[in-house]
Amino acid sequence: MTDAYIGTATGTRATTDEIKSDAPQRALGLHRELDRTWANDPGWRGQISAVNHTTLGLRFMGTALVFFAIGGILAMLIRTQLATPEGAFLDTEIYNQIFTMHGSIMMFLFAIPMLEGLAIYMLPKILGTRDLAFPRLTALGYWCYLFGGLILLFALLGGVAPREGWFMYTPLSGATYSPGINADVWLLGVTFVEISALAAAVEITVTILRQRAPGMKLTEMPLFAWYMLGTSVMMLVGFPPLILASVLLEIERAFGWPFFEVARGGDPLLWQHLFWLFGHPEVYIIFLPAAGALSTIIPVMCRTTILGYGAIVAAIVALVFLSFGLWVHHMFTVGIPHMALAFFSAASVLVAVPTAVQVFAWIGTMWKGRPDMHLPMYHIMGFFLTFVMGGLTGVMLAIVPFNWQAHDTHFVVAHLHYVLIGGFVFPMMAAAAYWMPQITGRARIKGLGEAAFWTILIGFHGTFFLMHLTGLLGMPRRIDVYPDNPEWIWLNLTSSIFGFVMTIGFALFALDLVLQAWLGPRSPRDPWRAPGLDWAMRLPPPSYNFASLPGPGRLDGGAQAAQGLARGEGLLPGAPRGRREVLVTGVGSARPELIAILPGNTALPLGLACAIGAFVLMMLSGLYWLTLPALALVAALIWVWARGMAQGHDAAPVEVAPGLSLPVHIHRHDTLGRTGTVCLLLADGTLFAALLFGVGFLSVVAPGWPPPELTGDPKLGAGLIAGLVGGLGLGAIAVRLGLRAQGNGGAVLPAAAVAFIANLAALACLIWLAVAVLDDPTRHARDALRGVLAGYAGLHALIAAGMAGYALDQARRGEIAGTRAGCMPAWRLWQDFAAVTALIAGAILIAQGSGA
Amino acid sequence: MTLLLAGCDGPLSTLAPAGPAAGDIALLWWGMLIGSAAITLLVGVLLALSFGPPRVRPVRYWTHGWGLGFSLAVLTTVLVAGLWIGERILPRDDGAVEVRAHAYQWGWRFAQPNAEGETVQTDGVLYIPAGRPVDVIVTAEDVIHAFWVPQLAGKVDAIPGRRNLLRIEADRPGTHDGLCAEFCGLGHATMRFELVAYGVDAPPDALADAPAAEEYADD
């Protein structure tokens, strides 16, 4: 009976060669049918309820450009101040706010959202699917980004912006030396924005792994997808240390728990380690998507194929791993052991190798083909010139003795701008020139783009080339006046003048984009004769991307594949069931496995972002008790969110192609949601590992140890910890029994009920532990860390209880029954994770009690 | 050439070294600059050549030859040079003069031996004997600062709760500028100091008149 709902035998085992084509239909009819299902709501409502990746990708990129303009204006204020040695244009307080905000905006509100936007817009089109894996999450990410960014902007307008520099070193950013809300604005605002980074990372990873067109093997997928996969994995692993550091510093500032304060056992270097554990991978997070664009565009511009696909993939993987092993090169002057200096120096130098492999693969591609100097190629030449120089100064800075001289000087300012503008902005401008016809359906107006390119190139090198010398002549970063150093005047004045030239160039570039979108003549369907699936559609792209999905034999057709797909000759044609359906394929082989039904338009992401925003604002205002109702609202909305996709009845298998029927996701365990949970837990596990690093680091390295004696009863503590771990472990067993019962057609309710109670009991043990055993967390860093470990376990137990409660509700409603597993596969992952982390945290708590 | 070197001059210039460490590092810089200029030129030539007719080279020519071979050769050279120079400028146990630089928001307090060998305290001026290696113990009162005399050596951070060590040496008697290199708040730009290197036979009067150095909590 239930077999009817898990797909035909051929369906689940279908190899990609067997898939047949559908019969052609009328393209216009298909378009209307699909657009009814996939389009945004009309009018203003459509703006707040949109979850479509094309809309949101453009919105991310558009908003990022606005922040780029704001960051650029701040840069011009900095350059105006520095044009003369005793600039009276800004006072020091405002100047400090402005350079802090310039860096923070460019990193967190321009570069990261820009690459997210590009990936969100492009990936489904390049991979041959209709949307990202979690459309509501895309929208949530956007709203979090927007609101977090607005908090930072309003703080700037109100004169209370952060002023401690974009890396916010403690103790300068601590409560003693930064009273007021300036630092809190940074910690809370940026963390709010990071929700969007994690959301994007999760769904980019899942989309690349599970939504590639059938037959697009992992080892043969377009390089852009490889680059984005590397980026998103790095984001999943790179952002949690920053989020942890921000949370710890905010707790220290708000509640007085010491983590970075020396007098109470903290260490300011813990902040630096956590920050750069994020901060260095961040550079590659920014560079990889840009390199992905280059690997896509260069072969097209040279009318050839990429040289060294395998070597480039190997280089990406090497960069992902290496970039996490060299954060210490930002800390060469903090006084670390010399062997460590040598090791991190070598690692920092080594990271240049995979970069060099890519650069030479691109040059080899150009040799192999015939480069045409279209506009994207201008920007690519700008990239080569600028990025090679930035890379070389990077190697110089990796050499410790030179680093000791150049660190914290304008040499570093010049270097990082060569890397970021060379390695990100020039490739992004190439990408804009390349994809604007795809995005707008219009060709550009000739001449303006070239003028913008030359102005930017001249302005950029005029600003930053001589700045290397400024640094070597001893000018440190982050100073606003230099009355005693007339030898720096001509250098700074030159930088300032060319800085304004560069700004004019960027204004021309923006004007070019606007004019193209607004007045440009209609673009031909394949302006570059590019092979990718991103061109196998109408321009500008329809809401659903592909009327029928590309399959084997249609994966590199470019615009030639468009017509057949639009006529429904591919897979899963149209939207006959009025649902947003996408095809889910296997991770390595890209064999079709199931049909995922995606959610439609909803304002729920906006509501949830508002609730999170309310929490952030309550924290900022110091109204800490009012954060609790905000958190309750967040939890309630997440429940509603989950309910939105719950289904209480079976869904018939869907015919994907003649002779190939696939089950709908509710009948399968290996859903997109489960892959997404794995990604989320990877990030969560990294956060936990960063916390363990913090515990180890402070225990071993911090000056103010050993801490005072623990006062709690160790036997009671051990018993309560056993209760916590036992409760979560019992929950994990109950989930398995529940899943087995569901598989056998038995009742799931009892198992869910047992798990719910076990999780609550675990939580009760933990609260008891916190009240009766743990010492005052404000006493010493050790006690504060114990509080955080307990809080981490408690939060996970609470969420596990929430998931058990949700499963209980689903079992009661009959949503977990037969072949429908409901939330159980995802819950099982969470429950196991919560139990294992609680076990580790508990073991540490006990060991701290029995140890020295 | 003279004009070029004149452009490199200045009281805070790393390119006008007045001590062995700064001299070694400046040499390293000039070497790396020449190498970098050559590599940039090379990449430019390779790019220019790509605009001719298509040329077929095996994939490994690019990825293994240039990408791995060339880059590893260059990087190894630079790394070895860096490690060698790094080893030369380290503090070592050779009976160097020991002085103390204590940073606070926003100024410097120094402790150094006078002619009689007593440790005396000065504000804003550090006195060291010329021609002798000096180890600076760098500490901080409140937030992170960094001790830097560009003409003599690299910088090291002054971190609350830690004692960092930096080896400096001035070749000849003279005065050098120093500054705080790590952003430390409102007074960062003006947190300068002066380093006076004196001839061993002519200790300055200021040192004779200076009060005895006070103890610090973390001593």
Side-chain angles (χ1 to χ4, degrees), chain A residues 133-134 136-137 202 206-207 210-211 584 594 596-598 645 665-666 668-681 803 822-827 829-830:
Chain A
F134 310 109
R136 295 179 298 177
L137 202 57
V202 167
V206 176
T207 304
R210 300 296 307 279
Q211 282 181 256
V584 179
L594 56 118
I597 300 167
L598 301 181
M645 290 306 287
H665 72 277
I666 56 168
R668 293 282 296 250
H669 287 191
D670 53 348
T671 58
L672 295 175
R674 193 166 173 279
T675 314
T677 311
V678 172
C679 294
L680 185 67
L681 289 179
M803 292 176 101
C823 72
M824 297 238 292
W827 170 33
L829 289 169
W830 183 274

mmCIF file of all heavy atoms in Angstrom, chain A residues 133-134 136-137 202 206-207 210-211 584 594 596-598 645 665-666 668-681 803 822-827 829-830:
data_model
loop_
_atom_site.group_PDB
_atom_site.id
_atom_site.type_symbol
_atom_site.label_atom_id
_atom_site.label_comp_id
_atom_site.label_asym_id
_atom_site.label_seq_id
_atom_site.Cartn_x
_atom_site.Cartn_y
_atom_site.Cartn_z
ATOM 1 N N ALA A 133 17.601 25.508 -2.102
ATOM 2 C CA ALA A 133 16.980 24.450 -1.310
ATOM 3 C C ALA A 133 15.977 24.985 -0.291
ATOM 4 O O ALA A 133 14.960 24.336 -0.022
ATOM 5 C CB ALA A 133 18.057 23.634 -0.596
ATOM 6 N N PHE A 134 16.267 26.154 0.291
ATOM 7 C CA PHE A 134 15.411 26.658 1.371
ATOM 8 C C PHE A 134 15.021 28.106 1.084
ATOM 9 O O PHE A 134 15.605 29.034 1.652
ATOM 10 C CB PHE A 134 16.132 26.561 2.715
ATOM 11 C CG PHE A 134 16.728 25.205 2.971
ATOM 12 C CD1 PHE A 134 18.100 25.026 2.947
ATOM 13 C CD2 PHE A 134 15.913 24.108 3.205
ATOM 14 C CE1 PHE A 134 18.658 23.773 3.175
ATOM 15 C CE2 PHE A 134 16.459 22.851 3.426
ATOM 16 C CZ PHE A 134 17.836 22.682 3.404
ATOM 17 N N ARG A 136 12.648 30.128 1.969
ATOM 18 C CA ARG A 136 12.308 31.043 3.069
ATOM 19 C C ARG A 136 13.551 31.475 3.820
ATOM 20 O O ARG A 136 13.637 32.592 4.333
ATOM 21 C CB ARG A 136 11.306 30.372 4.023
ATOM 22 C CG ARG A 136 9.961 30.107 3.360
ATOM 23 C CD ARG A 136 9.004 29.434 4.323
ATOM 24 N NE ARG A 136 9.526 28.130 4.746
ATOM 25 C CZ ARG A 136 8.911 27.349 5.642
ATOM 26 N NH1 ARG A 136 7.780 27.739 6.199
ATOM 27 N NH2 ARG A 136 9.435 26.192 5.965
ATOM 28 N N LEU A 137 14.540 30.569 3.882
ATOM 29 C CA LEU A 137 15.797 30.905 4.547
ATOM 30 C C LEU A 137 16.537 32.004 3.771
ATOM 31 O O LEU A 137 17.181 32.878 4.365
ATOM 32 C CB LEU A 137 16.653 29.644 4.637
ATOM 33 C CG LEU A 137 17.739 29.607 5.694
ATOM 34 C CD1 LEU A 137 17.168 29.825 7.076
ATOM 35 C CD2 LEU A 137 18.473 28.281 5.630
ATOM 36 N N VAL A 202 24.484 27.484 4.372
ATOM 37 C CA VAL A 202 23.758 26.212 4.452
ATOM 38 C C VAL A 202 23.086 25.918 3.117
ATOM 39 O O VAL A 202 23.227 24.833 2.542
ATOM 40 C CB VAL A 202 22.718 26.246 5.594
ATOM 41 C CG1 VAL A 202 21.765 25.062 5.480
ATOM 42 C CG2 VAL A 202 23.406 26.226 6.946
ATOM 43 N N VAL A 206 23.822 22.881 0.349
ATOM 44 C CA VAL A 206 22.815 21.867 0.055
ATOM 45 C C VAL A 206 22.420 21.915 -1.423
ATOM 46 O O VAL A 206 22.290 20.874 -2.083
ATOM 47 C CB VAL A 206 21.578 22.072 0.956
ATOM 48 C CG1 VAL A 206 20.490 21.083 0.586
ATOM 49 C CG2 VAL A 206 21.959 21.913 2.409
ATOM 50 N N THR A 207 22.275 23.116 -1.951
ATOM 51 C CA THR A 207 21.865 23.234 -3.351
ATOM 52 C C THR A 207 22.913 22.627 -4.280
ATOM 53 O O THR A 207 22.580 21.910 -5.226
ATOM 54 C CB THR A 207 21.621 24.715 -3.702
ATOM 55 O OG1 THR A 207 20.659 25.242 -2.788
ATOM 56 C CG2 THR A 207 21.116 24.864 -5.117
ATOM 57 N N ARG A 210 22.869 18.709 -3.753
ATOM 58 C CA ARG A 210 21.669 17.901 -3.967
ATOM 59 C C ARG A 210 20.772 18.376 -5.103
ATOM 60 O O ARG A 210 19.786 17.707 -5.414
ATOM 61 C CB ARG A 210 20.819 17.883 -2.674
ATOM 62 C CG ARG A 210 21.496 17.310 -1.448
ATOM 63 C CD ARG A 210 21.848 15.842 -1.559
ATOM 64 N NE ARG A 210 20.750 14.971 -1.940
ATOM 65 C CZ ARG A 210 19.820 14.501 -1.109
ATOM 66 N NH1 ARG A 210 19.858 14.833 0.162
ATOM 67 N NH2 ARG A 210 18.860 13.701 -1.538
ATOM 68 N N GLN A 211 21.031 19.511 -5.701
ATOM 69 C CA GLN A 211 20.092 19.998 -6.706
ATOM 70 C C GLN A 211 20.731 20.201 -8.067
ATOM 71 O O GLN A 211 20.211 20.939 -8.901
ATOM 72 C CB GLN A 211 19.443 21.312 -6.234
ATOM 73 C CG GLN A 211 18.347 21.074 -5.208
ATOM 74 C CD GLN A 211 17.707 22.367 -4.772
ATOM 75 O OE1 GLN A 211 17.974 22.864 -3.689
ATOM 76 N NE2 GLN A 211 16.872 22.933 -5.611
ATOM 77 N N VAL A 584 15.592 16.554 -6.766
ATOM 78 C CA VAL A 584 16.721 16.373 -5.853
ATOM 79 C C VAL A 584 17.533 15.184 -6.336
ATOM 80 O O VAL A 584 16.969 14.123 -6.630
ATOM 81 C CB VAL A 584 16.238 16.148 -4.412
ATOM 82 C CG1 VAL A 584 17.422 15.939 -3.475
ATOM 83 C CG2 VAL A 584 15.402 17.324 -3.960
ATOM 84 N N LEU A 594 14.546 12.222 -5.688
ATOM 85 C CA LEU A 594 13.219 12.543 -5.194
ATOM 86 C C LEU A 594 12.819 13.930 -5.677
ATOM 87 O O LEU A 594 13.618 14.659 -6.264
ATOM 88 C CB LEU A 594 13.160 12.467 -3.665
ATOM 89 C CG LEU A 594 14.147 13.333 -2.893
ATOM 90 C CD1 LEU A 594 13.395 14.330 -2.039
ATOM 91 C CD2 LEU A 594 15.007 12.468 -2.001
ATOM 92 N N ALA A 596 11.424 17.533 -4.397
ATOM 93 C CA ALA A 596 11.186 18.378 -3.230
ATOM 94 C C ALA A 596 10.147 19.427 -3.601
ATOM 95 O O ALA A 596 10.218 20.020 -4.675
ATOM 96 C CB ALA A 596 12.478 19.034 -2.781
ATOM 97 N N ILE A 597 9.182 19.605 -2.707
ATOM 98 C CA ILE A 597 8.197 20.676 -2.896
ATOM 99 C C ILE A 597 8.638 21.848 -2.035
ATOM 100 O O ILE A 597 8.797 21.723 -0.821
ATOM 101 C CB ILE A 597 6.794 20.202 -2.481
ATOM 102 C CG1 ILE A 597 6.398 18.997 -3.346
ATOM 103 C CG2 ILE A 597 5.793 21.337 -2.637
ATOM 104 C CD1 ILE A 597 5.192 18.274 -2.825
ATOM 105 N N LEU A 598 8.899 22.983 -2.688
ATOM 106 C CA LEU A 598 9.408 24.142 -1.970
ATOM 107 C C LEU A 598 8.257 25.024 -1.532
ATOM 108 O O LEU A 598 7.192 25.037 -2.154
ATOM 109 C CB LEU A 598 10.363 24.932 -2.875
ATOM 110 C CG LEU A 598 11.573 24.162 -3.391
ATOM 111 C CD1 LEU A 598 12.453 25.069 -4.245
ATOM 112 C CD2 LEU A 598 12.376 23.570 -2.250
ATOM 113 N N MET A 645 5.437 23.643 6.395
ATOM 114 C CA MET A 645 5.778 22.607 5.430
ATOM 115 C C MET A 645 5.291 21.223 5.848
ATOM 116 O O MET A 645 5.568 20.233 5.184
ATOM 117 C CB MET A 645 7.303 22.554 5.218
ATOM 118 C CG MET A 645 7.859 23.752 4.483
ATOM 119 S SD MET A 645 7.033 24.063 2.909
ATOM 120 C CE MET A 645 7.708 22.723 1.934
ATOM 121 N N HIS A 665 9.279 14.411 -1.343
ATOM 122 C CA HIS A 665 10.248 14.371 -0.234
ATOM 123 C C HIS A 665 9.671 13.902 1.087
ATOM 124 O O HIS A 665 10.410 13.358 1.903
ATOM 125 C CB HIS A 665 10.897 15.753 -0.076
ATOM 126 C CG HIS A 665 9.989 16.805 0.492
ATOM 127 N ND1 HIS A 665 9.100 17.514 -0.267
ATOM 128 C CD2 HIS A 665 9.834 17.252 1.756
ATOM 129 C CE1 HIS A 665 8.440 18.369 0.500
ATOM 130 N NE2 HIS A 665 8.860 18.228 1.723
ATOM 131 N N ILE A 666 8.371 14.112 1.327
ATOM 132 C CA ILE A 666 7.848 13.740 2.643
ATOM 133 C C ILE A 666 7.901 12.226 2.870
ATOM 134 O O ILE A 666 7.776 11.764 3.996
ATOM 135 C CB ILE A 666 6.399 14.237 2.847
ATOM 136 C CG1 ILE A 666 5.492 13.713 1.738
ATOM 137 C CG2 ILE A 666 6.345 15.744 2.928
ATOM 138 C CD1 ILE A 666 4.025 13.920 2.056
ATOM 139 N N ARG A 668 10.542 10.429 2.136
ATOM 140 C CA ARG A 668 11.935 9.996 2.163
ATOM 141 C C ARG A 668 12.665 10.599 3.354
ATOM 142 O O ARG A 668 12.291 11.647 3.869
ATOM 143 C CB ARG A 668 12.627 10.456 0.859
ATOM 144 C CG ARG A 668 12.098 9.775 -0.379
ATOM 145 C CD ARG A 668 12.672 8.386 -0.505
ATOM 146 N NE ARG A 668 14.104 8.439 -0.677
ATOM 147 C CZ ARG A 668 14.731 8.125 -1.815
ATOM 148 N NH1 ARG A 668 14.055 7.723 -2.863
ATOM 149 N NH2 ARG A 668 16.043 8.192 -1.892
ATOM 150 N N HIS A 669 13.725 9.924 3.785
ATOM 151 C CA HIS A 669 14.553 10.454 4.875
ATOM 152 C C HIS A 669 15.662 11.359 4.359
ATOM 153 O O HIS A 669 16.102 12.270 5.049
ATOM 154 C CB HIS A 669 15.186 9.312 5.672
ATOM 155 C CG HIS A 669 14.196 8.596 6.549
ATOM 156 N ND1 HIS A 669 14.563 7.703 7.505
ATOM 157 C CD2 HIS A 669 12.850 8.643 6.587
ATOM 158 C CE1 HIS A 669 13.482 7.226 8.107
ATOM 159 N NE2 HIS A 669 12.440 7.782 7.556
ATOM 160 N N ASP A 670 16.155 11.078 3.145
ATOM 161 C CA ASP A 670 17.322 11.821 2.642
ATOM 162 C C ASP A 670 16.887 13.105 1.946
ATOM 163 O O ASP A 670 17.211 13.358 0.800
ATOM 164 C CB ASP A 670 18.140 10.945 1.697
ATOM 165 C CG ASP A 670 17.284 10.344 0.585
ATOM 166 O OD1 ASP A 670 16.043 10.430 0.684
ATOM 167 O OD2 ASP A 670 17.852 9.792 -0.373
ATOM 168 N N THR A 671 16.153 13.932 2.678
ATOM 169 C CA THR A 671 15.611 15.155 2.086
ATOM 170 C C THR A 671 16.645 16.276 2.094
ATOM 171 O O THR A 671 17.709 16.169 2.704
ATOM 172 C CB THR A 671 14.396 15.624 2.894
ATOM 173 O OG1 THR A 671 14.829 15.821 4.239
ATOM 174 C CG2 THR A 671 13.285 14.602 2.861
ATOM 175 N N LEU A 672 16.279 17.365 1.430
ATOM 176 C CA LEU A 672 17.106 18.571 1.490
ATOM 177 C C LEU A 672 17.232 19.033 2.929
ATOM 178 O O LEU A 672 18.301 19.477 3.363
ATOM 179 C CB LEU A 672 16.473 19.678 0.645
ATOM 180 C CG LEU A 672 16.389 19.429 -0.859
ATOM 181 C CD1 LEU A 672 15.628 20.575 -1.521
ATOM 182 C CD2 LEU A 672 17.780 19.306 -1.448
ATOM 183 N N GLY A 673 16.124 18.928 3.678
ATOM 184 C CA GLY A 673 16.132 19.385 5.060
ATOM 185 C C GLY A 673 17.165 18.648 5.894
ATOM 186 O O GLY A 673 17.844 19.235 6.742
ATOM 187 N N ARG A 674 17.318 17.351 5.627
ATOM 188 C CA ARG A 674 18.278 16.575 6.396
ATOM 189 C C ARG A 674 19.710 17.001 6.032
ATOM 190 O O ARG A 674 20.546 17.197 6.930
ATOM 191 C CB ARG A 674 18.083 15.086 6.121
ATOM 192 C CG ARG A 674 18.817 14.205 7.083
ATOM 193 C CD ARG A 674 18.303 12.770 6.980
ATOM 194 N NE ARG A 674 19.127 11.885 7.784
ATOM 195 C CZ ARG A 674 20.290 11.396 7.379
ATOM 196 N NH1 ARG A 674 20.756 11.715 6.183
ATOM 197 N NH2 ARG A 674 20.984 10.618 8.169
ATOM 198 N N THR A 675 19.980 17.178 4.759
ATOM 199 C CA THR A 675 21.311 17.660 4.366
ATOM 200 C C THR A 675 21.577 19.032 4.981
ATOM 201 O O THR A 675 22.683 19.315 5.441
ATOM 202 C CB THR A 675 21.423 17.740 2.831
ATOM 203 O OG1 THR A 675 20.896 16.535 2.277
ATOM 204 C CG2 THR A 675 22.857 17.901 2.386
ATOM 205 N N GLY A 676 20.534 19.865 4.996
ATOM 206 C CA GLY A 676 20.687 21.190 5.593
ATOM 207 C C GLY A 676 20.995 21.103 7.081
ATOM 208 O O GLY A 676 21.809 21.872 7.599
ATOM 209 N N THR A 677 20.352 20.146 7.770
ATOM 210 C CA THR A 677 20.630 19.982 9.201
ATOM 211 C C THR A 677 22.077 19.572 9.419
ATOM 212 O O THR A 677 22.731 20.047 10.354
ATOM 213 C CB THR A 677 19.684 18.918 9.797
ATOM 214 O OG1 THR A 677 18.357 19.220 9.395
ATOM 215 C CG2 THR A 677 19.765 18.903 11.307
ATOM 216 N N VAL A 678 22.582 18.694 8.549
ATOM 217 C CA VAL A 678 23.991 18.294 8.662
ATOM 218 C C VAL A 678 24.894 19.521 8.536
ATOM 219 O O VAL A 678 25.836 19.709 9.317
ATOM 220 C CB VAL A 678 24.347 17.239 7.593
ATOM 221 C CG1 VAL A 678 25.848 16.970 7.590
ATOM 222 C CG2 VAL A 678 23.577 15.951 7.849
ATOM 223 N N CYS A 679 24.594 20.392 7.566
ATOM 224 C CA CYS A 679 25.402 21.608 7.387
ATOM 225 C C CYS A 679 25.327 22.499 8.627
ATOM 226 O O CYS A 679 26.344 23.025 9.089
ATOM 227 C CB CYS A 679 24.919 22.398 6.177
ATOM 228 S SG CYS A 679 25.178 21.555 4.628
ATOM 229 N N LEU A 680 24.122 22.662 9.143
ATOM 230 C CA LEU A 680 23.949 23.511 10.323
ATOM 231 C C LEU A 680 24.742 22.951 11.500
ATOM 232 O O LEU A 680 25.390 23.690 12.244
ATOM 233 C CB LEU A 680 22.462 23.591 10.675
ATOM 234 C CG LEU A 680 22.115 24.536 11.818
ATOM 235 C CD1 LEU A 680 22.379 25.968 11.399
ATOM 236 C CD2 LEU A 680 20.658 24.365 12.235
ATOM 237 N N LEU A 681 24.715 21.618 11.640
ATOM 238 C CA LEU A 681 25.442 21.011 12.750
ATOM 239 C C LEU A 681 26.950 21.106 12.542
ATOM 240 O O LEU A 681 27.703 21.180 13.520
ATOM 241 C CB LEU A 681 25.007 19.550 12.932
ATOM 242 C CG LEU A 681 23.581 19.395 13.486
ATOM 243 C CD1 LEU A 681 23.215 17.928 13.611
ATOM 244 C CD2 LEU A 681 23.435 20.095 14.824
ATOM 245 N N MET A 803 12.049 20.115 19.686
ATOM 246 C CA MET A 803 11.872 19.229 18.526
ATOM 247 C C MET A 803 11.082 17.984 18.914
ATOM 248 O O MET A 803 10.244 17.493 18.147
ATOM 249 C CB MET A 803 13.238 18.854 17.944
ATOM 250 C CG MET A 803 13.933 20.048 17.308
ATOM 251 S SD MET A 803 15.593 19.655 16.728
ATOM 252 C CE MET A 803 15.295 19.467 14.998
ATOM 253 N N GLY A 822 8.146 12.885 8.853
ATOM 254 C CA GLY A 822 8.029 14.214 9.451
ATOM 255 C C GLY A 822 9.384 14.787 9.828
ATOM 256 O O GLY A 822 10.348 14.718 9.064
ATOM 257 N N CYS A 823 9.456 15.332 11.047
ATOM 258 C CA CYS A 823 10.695 16.005 11.460
ATOM 259 C C CYS A 823 11.703 15.025 12.037
ATOM 260 O O CYS A 823 12.788 15.433 12.461
ATOM 261 C CB CYS A 823 10.374 17.077 12.494
ATOM 262 S SG CYS A 823 9.925 16.394 14.098
ATOM 263 N N MET A 824 11.373 13.704 12.066
ATOM 264 C CA MET A 824 12.207 12.778 12.837
ATOM 265 C C MET A 824 13.645 12.640 12.339
ATOM 266 O O MET A 824 14.566 12.600 13.168
ATOM 267 C CB MET A 824 11.524 11.421 12.915
ATOM 268 C CG MET A 824 10.207 11.517 13.652
ATOM 269 S SD MET A 824 10.126 10.447 15.062
ATOM 270 C CE MET A 824 10.122 8.903 14.282
ATOM 271 N N PRO A 825 13.908 12.568 11.027
ATOM 272 C CA PRO A 825 15.319 12.433 10.619
ATOM 273 C C PRO A 825 16.171 13.615 11.076
ATOM 274 O O PRO A 825 17.290 13.427 11.564
ATOM 275 C CB PRO A 825 15.242 12.349 9.092
ATOM 276 C CG PRO A 825 13.877 11.848 8.809
ATOM 277 C CD PRO A 825 12.995 12.441 9.875
ATOM 278 N N ALA A 826 15.640 14.833 10.950
ATOM 279 C CA ALA A 826 16.401 16.006 11.374
ATOM 280 C C ALA A 826 16.538 16.036 12.898
ATOM 281 O O ALA A 826 17.610 16.341 13.440
ATOM 282 C CB ALA A 826 15.723 17.281 10.878
ATOM 283 N N TRP A 827 15.459 15.687 13.574
ATOM 284 C CA TRP A 827 15.482 15.684 15.041
ATOM 285 C C TRP A 827 16.518 14.692 15.562
ATOM 286 O O TRP A 827 17.244 14.973 16.506
ATOM 287 C CB TRP A 827 14.072 15.362 15.569
ATOM 288 C CG TRP A 827 14.011 15.089 17.042
ATOM 289 C CD1 TRP A 827 14.785 15.641 18.023
ATOM 290 C CD2 TRP A 827 13.136 14.170 17.695
ATOM 291 N NE1 TRP A 827 14.443 15.128 19.246
ATOM 292 C CE2 TRP A 827 13.433 14.232 19.082
ATOM 293 C CE3 TRP A 827 12.117 13.323 17.250
ATOM 294 C CZ2 TRP A 827 12.744 13.452 20.015
ATOM 295 C CZ3 TRP A 827 11.434 12.567 18.194
ATOM 296 C CH2 TRP A 827 11.743 12.627 19.547
ATOM 297 N N LEU A 829 19.292 13.769 14.213
ATOM 298 C CA LEU A 829 20.629 14.374 14.116
ATOM 299 C C LEU A 829 20.874 15.345 15.269
ATOM 300 O O LEU A 829 21.932 15.347 15.900
ATOM 301 C CB LEU A 829 20.777 15.093 12.780
ATOM 302 C CG LEU A 829 20.888 14.219 11.533
ATOM 303 C CD1 LEU A 829 20.746 15.076 10.288
ATOM 304 C CD2 LEU A 829 22.220 13.495 11.527
ATOM 305 N N TRP A 830 19.878 16.194 15.509
ATOM 306 C CA TRP A 830 20.038 17.211 16.552
ATOM 307 C C TRP A 830 20.199 16.560 17.928
ATOM 308 O O TRP A 830 21.036 16.953 18.737
ATOM 309 C CB TRP A 830 18.839 18.166 16.548
ATOM 310 C CG TRP A 830 19.030 19.247 17.545
ATOM 311 C CD1 TRP A 830 18.711 19.220 18.869
ATOM 312 C CD2 TRP A 830 19.658 20.509 17.330
ATOM 313 N NE1 TRP A 830 19.088 20.367 19.488
ATOM 314 C CE2 TRP A 830 19.665 21.186 18.569
ATOM 315 C CE3 TRP A 830 20.211 21.136 16.207
ATOM 316 C CZ2 TRP A 830 20.214 22.458 18.709
ATOM 317 C CZ3 TRP A 830 20.741 22.412 16.360
ATOM 318 C CH2 TRP A 830 20.738 23.058 17.594
#
